[in-house]
Amino acid sequence: MTALKDLHCRPPTGQPPMGEIEAMVQLARVDGWSLRDGALEKRFDFADFHHTMAFVNAVAWVAHGEDHHPDLAVAYNRCTVRYRTHSVGGLSLNDFICAAKVDALRP
């Protein structure tokens, strides 16, 4: 099976949201992420604001490259990344692909 981080997002045209069973299967492929209120979410902790903002900028770079954008909650030493495919009204494979790419940003 190809690693999620090696895949690329595709437009989810006409696609229904991912079902609960498939979401659980994909959740097992990303470390430390959780399903919360219909979205895929993970909190990242950092030493200081500088490192937090470097991470936020790297996440923005991933989002731009994949044309799939998360919601970010940014604080001094943490950032919560939240994915949900708004065009399908729930989760899609794109959310899990981007989550894996975000995980790959951290050593």
Side-chain angles (χ1 to χ4, degrees):
M1 180 182 300
T2 304
L4 285 170
K5 69 179 182 61
D6 296 328
L7 299 175
H8 293 284
C9 293
R10 295 184 177 177
T13 308
Q15 191 179 78
M18 186 177 283
E20 185 177 340
I21 293 172
E22 179 62 18
M24 296 305 292
V25 168
Q26 296 303 329
L27 183 63
R29 297 178 69 190
V30 290
D31 187 40
W33 291 80
S34 62
L35 298 177
R36 186 173 310 217
D37 300 325
L40 183 62
E41 181 178 291
K42 184 174 181 178
R43 177 178 154 164
F44 294 86
D45 294 308
F46 301 93
D48 54 36
F49 188 70
H50 171 78
H51 287 95
T52 302
M53 292 311 297
F55 175 76
V56 167
N57 284 319
V59 171
W61 179 78
V62 168
H64 177 72
E66 293 299 326
D67 195 24
H68 193 69
H69 306 87
D71 292 327
L72 302 173
V74 180
Y76 172 79
N77 63 347
R78 66 188 174 277
C79 177
T80 300
V81 180
R82 185 174 167 88
Y83 283 103
R84 183 175 184 275
T85 304
H86 301 287
S87 62
V88 302
L91 293 170
S92 75
L93 184 59
N94 291 346
D95 300 313
F96 293 90
I97 290 170
C98 286
K101 289 179 182 292
V102 166
D103 278 342
L105 297 172
R106 301 280 312 253

